[in-house]
Each structure stands twice: as structure tokens, then as C-alpha cells.
Amino acid sequence: MKQRLDPKAFGATMGEPVPLRRVFIAGVGMTKIGEHWDKDLSDLVLEAVVEASVLSGIERLEVDSFHYGSALSQLYSRQGNTAALVADRLGLSKMGIPLYEHGGGSAAGALALRAAWLDVASGLADLSVAAAADKMTDLKEVEHLANAGLEMDSEWEASFGLTPHAAAGLVADAYIQKYGLTREALSLIPSLFHSHAALNEKAQYQKAISPEAVSKSLPVALPLRMFDCAPVSDGAAAVFLASEDFVKYMTEKIPDSTILHYPPLELVVVAPASQKFNLAYRSDITKDWATLEAGRKSFEACGATVDEVNVVEVHDDYSIYALTALEALGFAPFGMSWKGFQKGLFTIESASKGEGPAVNTSGGRKAQGAPRSAIGLTQVYEVALQLWGLAGKRQVKNAKVGLCQTKSASSALAVVSILRSYPQVKWPVKEHSITKLKPQNEPVQPKGTDNEKKSRQETASLPGKESPDNKKKKEGGEN
Amino acid sequence: MSSPSVNWRNRIIRYRLEASQCPHCGTKHFPPRKVCYDCGYRHDSPEERMALKGTGVVLNYTIVNEAPPAFKLQKPYVMALIRLDEGLTVIGQIVDVDIDKIERGMKVRAVFRKLGEESKEGLILYGNKWTPI
């Protein structure tokens, strides 16, 4: 197996690079997002996993590892140890496979995806399942308000009255001050996402709303209003990840699998990154450094460029975060993304013409719904539909590369994943028949040689000396 | 938030408004930290804490209408990022102010107040809020 991803992009600079295997999507499933009062947490996961399993024809015996994203199921469902419980309800408990439960706030599902991806890429598993769900409507509204600050710093932010609403409100105020964003321009964003959700039968709110309705909705954390904010939702999603060897096995053993009729879809990279936790510690809250770093890592690792991306799912739990995410990912210069929305960019129509990506074709967190843990996987579901050409009325023409960005509350942690489909290639995928993502003549610049890293470790603990690491950080901006 | 020990262990920092300063690179932090976020230097002795004067200007603010139960009686209330005279930024609630009159750049000072009360049986929390000068 030839090495395709550059491990140096992820920070590993010592020793021989470990070859990573290619990872393919072998199934995706998602429940309708909304209020599922008649189902419990494991019912939802089961529904999503069964959809993925029906699509691929893969059965439980073939699963090598199970990764479950669980942001706050202890709160929403009064249930800890959720991975083991859910795996049992799925019928996986008898298999004796490794189970993992991933936290990380709203990014839980995306972290589960990263771990499953790593399992397959490293060769520890041939088929790994990432699943996540949340049943947020089991909680009363007052309990939601009381626990709103759980993803914030509970002792030093939430106790002073800072909720995620308020944090997003502060970011919006800073953005307005710095870049002159207007209320009318901000209202275009939820309105656009609702128009996408109107075409998505799995979305929570399948109704278009006018920008005026957004501007006139009830205040939540001014300048943000109710229609700037994502709803409380129930939902689950599951993604099956397979190695090339497993895909070959599928073509031989499960030839009637539906997924083999779609173009092969590769999960090229999943990269998480972090930034300063507290809002007060950050020097510029309008810049999402975690997303910037995760995006840089993932683009660098696979050699893709921003221009190649056709479909983007950003984590817009508040409308302002759609702007900061698009800018951090490089789809617009800092402070300019809202002008793109004003010019009619980031829509399905503009992306079909090849003018930049379509953003949140699912309806985004605002209109498709935001079941916290599952968010990262619902994004992959939508991007997979788009890249397979199965998105129906909201299909972006010729979509080949998709990107998902998921984050925890005020973006202390962000995960970026890149997917790519190969419409010209038939299953089973063979190495030589796929165009290389990384051009041979543009090697990725390593972050530092072995010697540099060693000296960095030595100097890092000595006060008074500025280590190269710090210098680099100062040059590269804040993280 | 409702735990007595949480409020007990944070009482000095909260009541006296103490920040930490990194002895290596000089960065000031509130809430105080034991590892500097800029240079990674460890400094956990309480002597390195500095008391803040408690005056600054409003950088950005938001008017919160969806409040947690502890702040229910205060809504709509103002949360702000405040740049202190010492050069560091803190998060805080602005009180004793007409919501229409609040603006960026407004000078504020720290006042000792009840932070909130979760329920009738719940703990009453105290700490600093901010008021226009």
C-alpha cells in the first residue's frame, strides 16, 4: 500500500512515516431529525445503523470496532456507559468487539468518526462503525436552560451568566463591530438554510422562511434572535467505514449491495484541532482558530485545495458561526463571507455552476436540526448523498469533493473531514485507477525535522528562552 | 454551580478579582491559570496572583433574553467582554445600566453582587459584576 496522507500534517514528525490505508464509506444512515417522543436513544441509533446496513448489505458479524459519540446523554437520557448499551441494543455485544465512547461536546460524533477513520486507516480494523445520537427533547425547556452552559466553562463562564447563546451573541457583536455586518445580511443565512431544508424530507423544519422573519423573531442574545439559533432536536446518524480490502470483499461476497451501484466514496481525512477554551482568553473572537487549524491540517494532509470543494456542511448552531467557519476554512477572506451570501454565493444554484461550494444543503443545524452528538455524522450523511448524486431536489451538480466542519460550543474544539467521490471508477477500487489527490511536485512542508523537535522539547521547559515552537505560533497567529 | 465546594474554592479569586501573571512571558490571565496558554510555563504558586483594579471598558456585549434559572429574574441582562486597565479581558455581567444606553467602549468598574440564585432552596452565589462609571 502506497502512502497517501502525510502524517507530518497531523503533527507527527519523528521516525519513519507510518503508511495510512485509504478509508471508504461503506454505508450511511440517519433518522429523521425532529421530535421522536415515541423512541428511546438506542431506537434512534438502531434506525440509523439499520439504514446504513440495508444500504451496504453489511451484517453485524463483519464489524471490527464500534465508536459511539456521546456528548451529553448522561443529561438528556440519564444514561452513562452509552456505547456499551447502544452496542448491546444493536446486537453487537456478543461479538466481543472493541467499543469506544467519545465526548467532546457537540463534536462527539465527529470525534467518533475520526477514531473510526483512524481504526481503518491504521489497519486495526477493516470495517468500523461510527454512530451517534441524542434525545434532547426528553428534557424540559427549563432543564435545557439550566444546563445550557455545560459545554462552556461552568465555573468561570456559565456561573457569571454566559450561555452558548450569549457567547454567540458576543461573537456576533464583535463581528458586526469589526466587519460591518448588518442584520439584513445575517438574516439571509438562516433563510437560505431553511430553503435547503424545505427540500430535505429528513429535516426538522421543512419550511422556507423569509429574511424578514429572521430579523423580526424574538430576541435570544441580541444581536442574535431566535431564528439565528439551532433548535433542540432528536436524531441519530451512523457511518460505516471500510478499508480497500473490505470493499474488495464486498464486491465478491455482497454483489447485490446497493452501495456498489454508487460511485466509490472516500473519507480522505478527519482532523480535529483546538483553541483557547474561554472566550475571554482569545484575542479575536471573530476568528475561529480551531476550525482554521483543523481545516489547514486536513487540506494539507490530502493535498486538496479550497477551490475543489463542491459541498460544505458547517456547524451553524448560531448563524454567526456559519460565517466564522467559512472564513476559517478559507472559503472567503476574513470578514467577507456575509458578502458572499449577499451576492447569492454558497447556494445550490451557484455551486452547480461551479462558483464555489454550496453551504449546508441539508438545511444546516438551523433547519435540519441539531441532535448534539450526532451533528458530525448527520453532516457526513448529507455530503455522502450529495457526492453519490442522491440528494434529489437539492442535488449540487457534479459534486465530487465535500467538507464537514463540526465544533463544540464556542469552538474550543473543531473537527474537519473531507470526502471525495470517484464517479469514473468502478468498485472494487484499485490504487492505480484513482487520480492522486496530492500532486507529486508539491510536497507538504514538514513542520520540523527530528532534530528540531528534540531541541524544541529541551528548550520548552527552560524559562527565559523562546522556543521555536512559540515563535512559530506567534508568527502563525493565535491558537 | 450549585456545589458548595465549587464556590468555596473559588471564593478568593471571585471576591477579590485576582488574576494570574505568567512569570515567564508576562501574560495575564483571568480566571487564573496554572499553565500559561501562550508559553506553556507552569506557575502555580498563589503569590504570583495579582489583584485587579477592577476598572475597564466594554469591548463587546450581548443582551441575553433566554436566561438560565439562576438569572431568570434578571433578564434581559447584559453580558460583556471587558478589557481591563491591566490589559487582560474578562467576561462579566453589566448591571445598573439602561439596556438602550449600553455601548462598546463604555467605562465600567467591578461591583460585589449576588451572582444568582438557582432556586429557593439553592445556594446564593456572590461575585463581581460590572457597572458603568
Side-chain angles (χ1 to χ4, degrees), chain A residues 226-247:
Chain A
M226 187 181 276
F227 286 1
D228 287 308
C229 312
V232 164
S233 321
D234 300 336
V239 177
F240 291 5
L241 299 179
S243 66
E244 268 181 290
D245 296 330
F246 191 87
V247 170

Side-chain angles (χ1 to χ4, degrees), chain A residues 60-362:
Chain A
R60 60 173 189 162
L61 281 167
E62 286 145 344
V63 179
D64 292 327
S65 66
F66 180 73
H67 293 271
Y68 184 73
S70 171
L72 290 164
S73 61
Q74 284 89 339
L75 173 70
Y76 297 137
S77 306
R78 310 273 190 274
Q79 180 64 57
N81 198 7
T82 332
L85 177 101
V86 167
D88 177 75
R89 299 296 184 268
L90 293 174
L92 291 173
S93 53
K94 222 182 153 186
M95 325 299 307
I97 56 167
L99 307 171
Y100 308 88
E101 188 167 326
H102 300 272
S106 308
L111 287 178
L113 185 76
R114 152 83 175 189
W117 173 81
L118 206 55
D119 252 11
V120 178
S122 65
L124 290 176
D126 279 319
L127 184 82
S128 186
V129 173
D134 255 325
K135 268 210 60 71
M136 298 174 73
T137 65
D138 279 0
L139 224 58
K140 289 178 288 201
E141 192 196 346
V142 61
E143 290 174 303
H144 273 289
L145 287 171
N147 293 299
L150 275 182
E151 279 189 45
M152 318 291 296
D153 183 342
S154 66
E155 291 184 30
W156 297 106
E157 288 185 330
S159 60
F160 294 137
L162 190 78
T163 58
H165 296 322
L170 287 171
V171 173
D173 187 56
Y175 195 100
I176 288 168
Q177 180 191 16
K178 199 166 175 191
Y179 300 119
L181 170 72
T182 59
R183 178 65 254 182
E184 290 71 35
L186 187 61
S187 296
L188 292 175
I189 296 155
S191 173
L192 174 70
F193 295 165
H194 267 270
S195 73
H196 292 168
L199 309 171
N200 180 0
E201 55 194 25
K202 287 197 173 180
Q204 185 164 7
Y205 298 120
Q206 299 167 29
K207 191 175 171 234
I209 56 169
S210 66
E212 292 73 37
V214 182
S215 303
K216 283 180 192 158
S217 57
L218 290 171
V220 168
L222 288 171
L224 295 183
R225 292 174 176 272
M226 187 181 276
F227 286 1
D228 287 308
C229 312
V232 164
S233 321
D234 300 336
V239 177
F240 291 5
L241 299 179
S243 66
E244 268 181 290
D245 296 330
F246 191 87
V247 170
K248 194 157 172 280
Y249 162 87
M250 277 174 77
T251 53
E252 288 162 8
K253 304 278 172 174
I254 333 170
D256 52 349
S257 162
T258 317
I259 207 166
L260 297 177
H261 299 294
Y262 306 151
L265 178 57
E266 184 179 7
L267 179 60
V268 188
V269 61
V270 187
S274 61
Q275 67 172 327
K276 290 169 189 168
F277 194 96
N278 297 45
L279 225 50
Y281 288 152
R282 301 180 192 169
S283 62
D284 184 351
I285 56 173
T286 63
K287 291 193 173 70
D288 184 346
W289 291 104
T291 298
L292 190 140
E293 186 63 17
R296 187 192 63 73
K297 271 186 197 168
S298 32
F299 279 120
E300 199 171 286
C302 69
T305 63
V306 176
D307 306 327
E308 288 176 60
V309 180
N310 311 108
V311 193
V312 179
E313 284 283 312
V314 291
H315 194 136
D316 61 315
D317 48 355
Y318 298 94
S319 56
I320 188 72
Y321 289 141
L323 299 180
T324 55
L326 286 172
E327 290 162 14
L329 291 167
F331 292 107
F334 285 112
M336 298 294 277
S337 55
W338 59 279
K339 292 183 178 161
F341 282 99
Q342 275 184 324
K343 285 179 192 153
L345 291 176
F346 304 129
T347 61
I348 294 168
E349 294 75 38
S350 73
S352 297
K353 282 186 234 155
E355 298 165 355
V359 176
N360 287 0
T361 50
S362 61

Side-chain angles (χ1 to χ4, degrees), chain A residues 145-146 155-156 159-163 165-166 169-170 173-174 177 219-222 276 280-281 285 463-465 470, chain B residues 6 9-10 13-14 24 30-31 33 37 41 60-69 71 77 79 81 89 91 104:
Chain A
L145 287 171
E155 291 184 30
W156 297 106
S159 60
F160 294 137
L162 190 78
T163 58
H165 296 322
L170 287 171
D173 187 56
Q177 180 191 16
V220 168
L222 288 171
K276 290 169 189 168
Y281 288 152
I285 56 173
K465 262 191 191 175
N470 295 338
Chain B
V6 170
R9 70 169 170 263
N10 291 334
I13 302 165
R14 243 182 224 169
H24 180 200
F30 184 87
R33 297 171 62 95
Y37 54 58
Y41 189 83
N60 291 109
Y61 67 94
T62 176
I63 298 163
V64 184
N65 288 267
E66 289 267 321
F71 294 84
Y77 64 90
M79 286 304 298
L81 276 173
T89 310
I91 213 121
R104 300 178 198 120

Side-chain angles (χ1 to χ4, degrees), chain A residues 409-448:
Chain A
S410 50
S411 209
L413 171 71
V415 185
V416 170
S417 37
I418 295 179
L419 293 92
R420 188 183 180 105
S421 70
Y422 301 94
Q424 315 304 333
V425 181
K426 290 273 175 283
W427 300 90
V429 183
K430 290 222 176 74
E431 179 81 24
H432 61 83
S433 58
I434 290 181
T435 48
K436 282 216 171 271
L437 267 178
K438 189 191 287 296
Q440 290 293 332
N441 51 355
E442 283 178 41
V444 172
Q445 288 298 317
K447 271 180 165 177

Side-chain angles (χ1 to χ4, degrees), chain A residues 8 24 51 152 205 339 456:
Chain A
K8 290 191 172 81
F24 288 87
E51 189 190 333
M152 318 291 296
Y205 298 120
K339 292 183 178 161
R456 204 152 74 203

